[in-house]
Short mmCIF file of all heavy atoms in Angstrom, two decimals:
data_model
loop_
_atom_site.label_atom_id
_atom_site.label_comp_id
_atom_site.label_asym_id
_atom_site.label_seq_id
_atom_site.Cartn_x
_atom_site.Cartn_y
_atom_site.Cartn_z
N THR A 280 -54.07 173.71 257.58
CA THR A 280 -52.66 173.33 257.71
C THR A 280 -52.38 172.84 259.13
O THR A 280 -51.72 171.81 259.33
CB THR A 280 -51.77 174.54 257.36
OG1 THR A 280 -52.20 175.06 256.11
CG2 THR A 280 -50.30 174.16 257.29
N GLU A 281 -52.87 173.59 260.14
CA GLU A 281 -52.59 173.23 261.54
C GLU A 281 -53.09 171.82 261.86
O GLU A 281 -52.44 171.05 262.57
CB GLU A 281 -53.28 174.19 262.52
CG GLU A 281 -52.99 175.65 262.36
CD GLU A 281 -54.00 176.32 261.43
OE1 GLU A 281 -54.13 175.90 260.28
OE2 GLU A 281 -54.63 177.29 261.86
N ASP A 282 -54.30 171.48 261.35
CA ASP A 282 -54.91 170.19 261.67
C ASP A 282 -54.08 169.05 261.05
O ASP A 282 -53.86 168.01 261.68
CB ASP A 282 -56.36 170.13 261.15
CG ASP A 282 -57.27 171.13 261.85
OD1 ASP A 282 -56.77 171.90 262.70
OD2 ASP A 282 -58.47 171.17 261.55
N VAL A 283 -53.61 169.28 259.82
CA VAL A 283 -52.83 168.26 259.12
C VAL A 283 -51.47 168.08 259.81
O VAL A 283 -51.00 166.95 260.02
CB VAL A 283 -52.67 168.63 257.63
CG1 VAL A 283 -51.74 167.67 256.91
CG2 VAL A 283 -54.04 168.66 256.95
N VAL A 284 -50.85 169.19 260.18
CA VAL A 284 -49.54 169.13 260.85
C VAL A 284 -49.69 168.41 262.20
O VAL A 284 -48.88 167.55 262.55
CB VAL A 284 -48.97 170.56 261.03
CG1 VAL A 284 -47.78 170.58 261.96
CG2 VAL A 284 -48.58 171.12 259.65
N TYR A 285 -50.72 168.72 262.95
CA TYR A 285 -50.97 168.07 264.24
C TYR A 285 -51.10 166.56 264.06
O TYR A 285 -50.50 165.77 264.79
CB TYR A 285 -52.26 168.66 264.85
CG TYR A 285 -52.56 168.22 266.26
CD1 TYR A 285 -52.11 168.96 267.35
CD2 TYR A 285 -53.32 167.07 266.52
CE1 TYR A 285 -52.40 168.57 268.66
CE2 TYR A 285 -53.61 166.68 267.81
CZ TYR A 285 -53.15 167.43 268.88
OH TYR A 285 -53.44 167.05 270.17
N MET A 286 -51.87 166.17 263.04
CA MET A 286 -52.07 164.72 262.81
C MET A 286 -50.76 164.04 262.45
O MET A 286 -50.39 163.03 263.06
CB MET A 286 -53.09 164.51 261.68
CG MET A 286 -53.28 163.03 261.35
SD MET A 286 -54.40 162.75 259.96
CE MET A 286 -53.32 163.06 258.57
N PHE A 287 -50.02 164.60 261.48
CA PHE A 287 -48.79 163.93 261.04
C PHE A 287 -47.73 163.92 262.14
O PHE A 287 -47.07 162.90 262.35
CB PHE A 287 -48.25 164.55 259.75
CG PHE A 287 -48.93 164.02 258.51
CD1 PHE A 287 -49.56 164.88 257.61
CD2 PHE A 287 -48.95 162.66 258.24
CE1 PHE A 287 -50.18 164.37 256.47
CE2 PHE A 287 -49.57 162.14 257.10
CZ PHE A 287 -50.18 163.01 256.22
N HIS A 288 -47.58 165.02 262.86
CA HIS A 288 -46.57 165.04 263.93
C HIS A 288 -46.92 164.00 265.00
O HIS A 288 -46.05 163.34 265.54
CB HIS A 288 -46.43 166.44 264.53
CG HIS A 288 -45.76 167.41 263.59
ND1 HIS A 288 -45.38 168.67 263.95
CD2 HIS A 288 -45.37 167.29 262.28
CE1 HIS A 288 -44.80 169.28 262.92
NE2 HIS A 288 -44.80 168.46 261.90
N GLY A 289 -48.19 163.86 265.28
CA GLY A 289 -48.64 162.86 266.26
C GLY A 289 -48.27 161.45 265.83
O GLY A 289 -48.04 160.57 266.65
N MET A 290 -48.18 161.24 264.51
CA MET A 290 -47.82 159.91 263.97
C MET A 290 -46.32 159.76 263.80
O MET A 290 -45.85 158.74 263.30
CB MET A 290 -48.45 159.74 262.57
CG MET A 290 -49.96 159.69 262.55
SD MET A 290 -50.58 159.98 260.85
CE MET A 290 -49.85 158.61 259.98
N GLY A 291 -45.57 160.82 264.15
CA GLY A 291 -44.11 160.78 263.95
C GLY A 291 -43.70 161.02 262.51
O GLY A 291 -42.60 160.67 262.10
N VAL A 292 -44.60 161.63 261.73
CA VAL A 292 -44.29 161.93 260.32
C VAL A 292 -43.90 163.41 260.22
O VAL A 292 -44.67 164.28 260.67
CB VAL A 292 -45.51 161.63 259.41
CG1 VAL A 292 -45.23 162.04 257.97
CG2 VAL A 292 -45.89 160.16 259.50
N LYS A 293 -42.74 163.67 259.66
CA LYS A 293 -42.25 165.06 259.60
C LYS A 293 -42.96 165.85 258.50
O LYS A 293 -43.23 165.33 257.42
CB LYS A 293 -40.75 165.07 259.29
CG LYS A 293 -39.92 164.55 260.43
CD LYS A 293 -38.44 164.82 260.13
CE LYS A 293 -37.60 164.34 261.28
NZ LYS A 293 -36.73 163.23 260.94
N THR A 294 -43.23 167.15 258.81
CA THR A 294 -43.80 168.05 257.79
C THR A 294 -42.84 169.21 257.52
O THR A 294 -43.01 169.93 256.54
CB THR A 294 -45.14 168.66 258.27
OG1 THR A 294 -44.85 169.47 259.43
CG2 THR A 294 -46.16 167.61 258.63
N GLY A 295 -41.89 169.42 258.43
CA GLY A 295 -40.98 170.57 258.31
C GLY A 295 -41.61 171.86 258.83
O GLY A 295 -40.99 172.91 258.82
N LEU A 296 -42.87 171.78 259.28
CA LEU A 296 -43.56 172.99 259.75
C LEU A 296 -43.55 173.07 261.28
O LEU A 296 -43.56 172.03 261.95
CB LEU A 296 -45.00 173.01 259.23
CG LEU A 296 -45.13 173.63 257.84
CD1 LEU A 296 -44.81 172.63 256.77
CD2 LEU A 296 -46.52 174.15 257.63
N GLN A 297 -43.56 174.29 261.79
CA GLN A 297 -43.61 174.47 263.24
C GLN A 297 -45.04 174.82 263.67
O GLN A 297 -45.52 175.92 263.36
CB GLN A 297 -42.67 175.60 263.65
CG GLN A 297 -41.21 175.32 263.34
CD GLN A 297 -40.35 176.49 263.71
OE1 GLN A 297 -40.43 177.01 264.81
NE2 GLN A 297 -39.53 176.94 262.77
N LEU A 298 -45.66 173.89 264.35
CA LEU A 298 -47.07 174.07 264.72
C LEU A 298 -47.28 175.35 265.52
O LEU A 298 -48.24 176.09 265.30
CB LEU A 298 -47.57 172.84 265.49
CG LEU A 298 -49.04 172.87 265.88
CD1 LEU A 298 -49.96 173.01 264.67
CD2 LEU A 298 -49.43 171.61 266.65
N ASP A 299 -46.38 175.64 266.46
CA ASP A 299 -46.59 176.82 267.31
C ASP A 299 -46.64 178.10 266.48
O ASP A 299 -47.42 179.00 266.76
CB ASP A 299 -45.49 176.90 268.38
CG ASP A 299 -45.69 175.80 269.42
OD1 ASP A 299 -46.84 175.37 269.60
OD2 ASP A 299 -44.69 175.35 270.01
N LYS A 300 -45.79 178.17 265.46
CA LYS A 300 -45.80 179.38 264.61
C LYS A 300 -47.08 179.46 263.79
O LYS A 300 -47.61 180.55 263.57
CB LYS A 300 -44.56 179.40 263.71
CG LYS A 300 -43.30 179.66 264.50
CD LYS A 300 -42.24 180.33 263.65
CE LYS A 300 -41.13 180.80 264.58
NZ LYS A 300 -39.82 180.85 263.93
N LEU A 301 -47.58 178.31 263.35
CA LEU A 301 -48.85 178.32 262.60
C LEU A 301 -49.98 178.77 263.53
O LEU A 301 -50.87 179.52 263.13
CB LEU A 301 -49.16 176.92 262.06
CG LEU A 301 -48.18 176.34 261.02
CD1 LEU A 301 -48.52 174.88 260.72
CD2 LEU A 301 -48.19 177.16 259.73
N LEU A 302 -49.92 178.32 264.78
CA LEU A 302 -50.96 178.70 265.74
C LEU A 302 -50.93 180.19 266.05
O LEU A 302 -51.96 180.81 266.28
CB LEU A 302 -50.81 177.88 267.03
CG LEU A 302 -51.10 176.37 266.88
CD1 LEU A 302 -50.75 175.61 268.14
CD2 LEU A 302 -52.56 176.14 266.51
N GLU A 303 -49.72 180.77 266.02
CA GLU A 303 -49.62 182.23 266.22
C GLU A 303 -50.17 182.98 265.02
O GLU A 303 -50.73 184.06 265.13
CB GLU A 303 -48.15 182.64 266.38
CG GLU A 303 -47.58 182.39 267.76
CD GLU A 303 -46.06 182.52 267.75
OE1 GLU A 303 -45.50 183.25 266.90
OE2 GLU A 303 -45.42 181.86 268.60
#
Side-chain angles (χ1 to χ4, degrees):
T280 309
E281 305 92 302
D282 295 3
V283 174
V284 168
Y285 187 92
M286 177 183 81
F287 277 124
H288 289 188
M290 294 163 61
V292 176
K293 291 189 178 115
T294 64
L296 274 83
Q297 297 178 51
L298 183 58
D299 290 333
K300 289 208 169 152
L301 296 172
L302 293 172
E303 280 167 27

